Structure formats: structure tokens, C-alpha cells
Amino acid sequence: MTGSDVSTIPPRMDGSFDVVVVGGGHAGCEAAAAAARCGARTLLLTHKRATLGEMSCNPAIGGIGKGHLVREVDALDGIMARAADAAAIHVKVLNRSKGPAVRGPRAQADRALYREAIQALLADQPGLTILEAVAEGIETVADGGITAVLTGDGRRIACGALVVTTGTFLRGEIHIGERRIPAGRVGDEPAIGLALAFERLGLPLARLKTGTPPRLDGRTIDWAALEPQPGEDPPEPLSWMTSRITNRQVACAITTTTPETHALIRANLHHSAVYGGRIQGVGPRYCPSIEDKVVRFADREHHQVFLEPEGLDDDTVYPNGISTSLPEAVQAAMIASMPGLGRARILRPGYAIEYDHVDPRALSPALEVRAVPRLFLAGQINGTTGYEEAAAQGLLAGLNAAARASGAVPDRVLTRAQAYMGVLVDDLVLQGVTEPYRMLTARAEHRLALRADNAGLRLTDVGLAWGCVGPERAARHRTFACALTDALDRARSDGATSAALATAGIAVNQDGRRRSVLEVLALPGVDAALVDAAFPWLRDLSPALRTQLEAEALYAPYLRRQEAEMRLLEREEQARIPDGLDFTQVPGLSAEMRQRLSAARPATLGSAGRLPGVTPAAIAALAVALRRSEAARST
């Protein structure tokens, strides 16, 4: 079976798969591809085959924090980064002037090319079938485990595991001023049947909201009056498997809101769905609507708006930074009040969308619903926002669903010390969400080690052990890892005295001390040409290898300290808490601590310590109980 085969399950006939994935957004596509890569017979159920890989909001992949996730998904042989490279029309590494740890690779994409690339990658994936159908119900057995998904056209599709990735479709409702439109996104019906099925299963549901700006006709924008924003030349690919980006690159532009814009918004706040009281769901703090910005930052006279073309052959422009739920007429006046947009025509109004999500604290670290075995959730249904967060969860959920369907333990879990993906999942299942969760570099304790540039070195071997990395990536990874090891060894052993470095024009303290090449590369403001002249073998390194060597050199002293801290944390993390441990029987725990621990069911002592409100005294009591339990088992 391949992704191009939709006739495997004729209408009104039952089918059987190892893994069924519901939803064809970024989470669903990664989940389906990952499960199939692991050898699971996988079915991807989607409302519309033509919208697989649709970029529902902004036409970009990556950014600060998000770019780390994309590189990590790519390191585990996911498809998002490759599709982004195939569609990239404006590429930048954000924070380029800062250290590698906080740089965020970002590719603005041609929407149509991205969609085509995702669909082609899925079609080429052995073991994956795609079916157009609406999931309406879930069948379980006496123990609560999933056995099948039921479709709106009467089919029962048996499965060993089910991954649900509904995005904003779960009882989704669009708001434009006073208008309410039931929809998962513009033009698509909401998922009502699944929401009711989740209620019957007793899953904890709540409402969140997100939004999108109006789309503009680029032919009606005065580009000459605006500050252009070119991309980088040459553009840096997101995927390790991409040699170079071949699409024509385009420039974006910047405009701003004005005092007139803000006055319009304030005068019409009562028409906004959010401020008019028609939405109860909480929106994303780090990607607020323009109404939120005007209210929360009342002293600001201007907010930047990035005008991003949506395609090479598409005149649509995405004004990044002004998502809104104001009425269409107010949106038109708001746009006309900004420099360069006086005659701009709106092609589609902005809107807010409110939808159901499941409290992610109901999930295990494998993204499996604790109370419903074999049911996995990924993406916005878990309370996140963003394509990249969805893809990361989808990949992990797909891998764990494949493991569960094969009868294995779903243990495809990454720690906070291994990956931003580990930070993401750990935050969700332990802390839950009060607003849509967005990945930020500040969320990672070990961000000096968790860089976008070394994602493959950190995770591809893990992916090989999990069986989700193909032979081509494996070969490239091994070649690069060996070359880097050789370069690091040589950079540590080769070097020069302070006098010799001064003679070469490299400024160092004249203390007579010999410095290794690794130390020289880490010198602040060092001239690369002078270093290459002093150590000619550096010129023979590939650009990727040289970049990696410089990053390792820059962070070497800090990483040594961080590695020692991580070893201590790992010992704590590895102290596993048995699944069936009765916290009410642990001596020394207060009633409140027992309640918090019983509700969260942390998997390790380390994760218990990160729970909100859990005290150091409670962790000490729990550690004693675990040691006694281990001693009793040994005896």
C-alpha cells in the first residue's frame, strides 16, 4: 500500500490497520509518515486529500525556538523541513548576530509548493494509505482501550492504535465581529462527532482560541513606500537532506500600525469577538491579536507589520502581526490607515477561531491518553499553537502509536536534556496549559547544548535506535559525525603559542601559553581569514563542518559545566515512579501533595519535582519511598 492508493478501503467496507491517524495537518502528516517509517500499516484519514499539508495561518516554517523543533523533527527523518526547503521563497536565520544557541532558522514558503511537497512525500512513503473520510466516533473495549475508528459514511476501521490530530477543528467556530461560523478553518466543517466521542470517553475538554490576519492583494500595495526586507543569500536550508534551495527568492516589506489605527481599534473594541464577550477561550500570549496589543501596550504608538508574499505565482500577501476578529469594515479601515496600504484590498478578512482541546495532563510522556489505552493525541488538540509544535508532537505520537500497535512499550520519549521536543512534551503533560503553548528558547534549561545546528548530532542516532531513520540520512549522518570527531580531535591537539599567534595577527594575551585551535576559534571577534592562514587545514572543511566546529568551540567551556549538571539531573530523572504507585500510601506526603501527584502521575522523580506546587519536602519523602521499594524488590 502507498499513499497514492485510496481504494484500499472501498466504501461501506471495513478495514484494518496497525495505526490510524485522524487529521491531515502538520501533526497528522508527521504522525502518519513516522508510523509508516517504523513499519506500521498506517491509514491517514482526512476531510480533503487536496488540503494535506495546508498552511492554515502564516506561510512560514521555523523561527526562534520553532526552528529548533523543525531541525529536531528533521533529525528524526520527519518531512516538514524537506517540504519547507522545496517551497522556500524567503529564508533567514533569525538572531544571526547572536550566539548559535538562540539562532532560529526560518523559511517563508510558497503555500502551493509546500502543500505539493508534503503530498509528494506522503505518496512516496511505503506502508501509508490516505483516505478521504470524516472520523465521527471511536470504538473501545471493556478496559477502555481503542479498537476502531468510525467514519461518517458508515465504515468501521479497526486499528492497533489511533492518533488524533484535529487542530482547530474540534467544535471549531470562526468569529468575525458579531458573525459566528461553525468551521475548523475557512471553508471546512468542524469536527463535532469526535468532540462528542471525547466527552463520552470522559476526556477533560476546554476551549482555546487563536486568530489570523486579513489577507491582502499584493497588487494594491505601494511597495515603493515601504522598507524592503530581503532574505539571506545564499538561503540556508532547514533540512540536513537539502543541498541547496533552488526557488527564486522574494523580498518582504515592513509597515507599521499608526495612532489612527489604534484609535480605530479602541473605538470598535466592543465589536471584537474577544472584547465583546463572545469568546471564552484564551488566546496565545506570545502571538496576540492586534486588539490585545493595543489594549495591553497602550503607550505604544506603532506595532510592526511584516508583509509576507504567500507564493511566487500568488498575489496574496500575509500581514504578519495583525490577527484580528474585528468586523470586515473595521478591518478595511484599519488596513488603509497604515503606510503603504492606503489602497490595499482585502482578499479575505481576518478572524478568530475558538475550538476544543484536551488537557494535556491527561497524557503520558508518550502522548498516549492514560485513561484510554492506544489513543494518542498530537498538535493543537493538546493546547499548543504553531505548525512546528504540532509536527514535533505528531512525529512522537506516530512513533509511539506504531510501538503500541506492535505490542511494544510506547517509550519513544525524549528528555529535556536531549531536545526541545522533550521540553515541549514535558511542559505539556506536567504543567498543562492555560493558553496556547508556544515554544521559546527560554523554556529550555540546556539551550547551549540544544542548538538548531547540532540537532542531527543529538537525535539521529536516537532515531536509528527507534527505527524511524532511513538509510540515506543514516549514511550522511555517520559521515558527518566522523568528520566532526576528526576535526574536533585535530582542533584540540593543534595550536600555537601566544607569540606565534601574535605574529599571525591574532590578538591574545602574551602570557606564553599555548592555545589550541579550538580555543582560538572561540576568541571574541577573531578574524576567520587570519585563523585560516595560521591553520591552513581549516580551509579544507566543508561550510557545514566549519560552522559546527566554531559552535562547539564557542560553547566548549560552558558545555563542560552543563554536562556535569545534566549527569546529576539524569540520575534524578532515571528514578522511575512505578505506574501503579499509590501516592496516598507514601509516608510523609501531605494530603495536597498526594492529590497533586495522583492527578499528574509523573513518570520519574525529576518530573515530579517540576509539578506546580510540589514541594522539595514532598520530593524527599517520595525519594525515600522509592528507595525503600527498590530495596524491598531486591530483597
Side-chain angles (χ1 to χ4, degrees), residues 16 25 32 112 139 202 204 208 240 290 543 564 585:
S16 178
E139 183 181 279
L208 289 174
W240 185 249
I290 188 60
Q585 301 303 310

Side-chain angles (χ1 to χ4, degrees), residues 211-222:
T212 191
R215 304 305 197 271
L216 308 180
D217 185 341
R219 296 168 297 185
T220 62
I221 293 173
D222 184 2

Side-chain angles (χ1 to χ4, degrees), residues 122 205 223 234 238 295 358 384 392 426 451-452 463 494 520 531 599 610:
L122 293 177
L205 296 173
W223 296 100
L238 278 170
V295 171
V358 174
T384 59
D426 189 63
R451 305 188 305 276
D494 194 5
V520 173
V531 177
R610 291 191 294 277

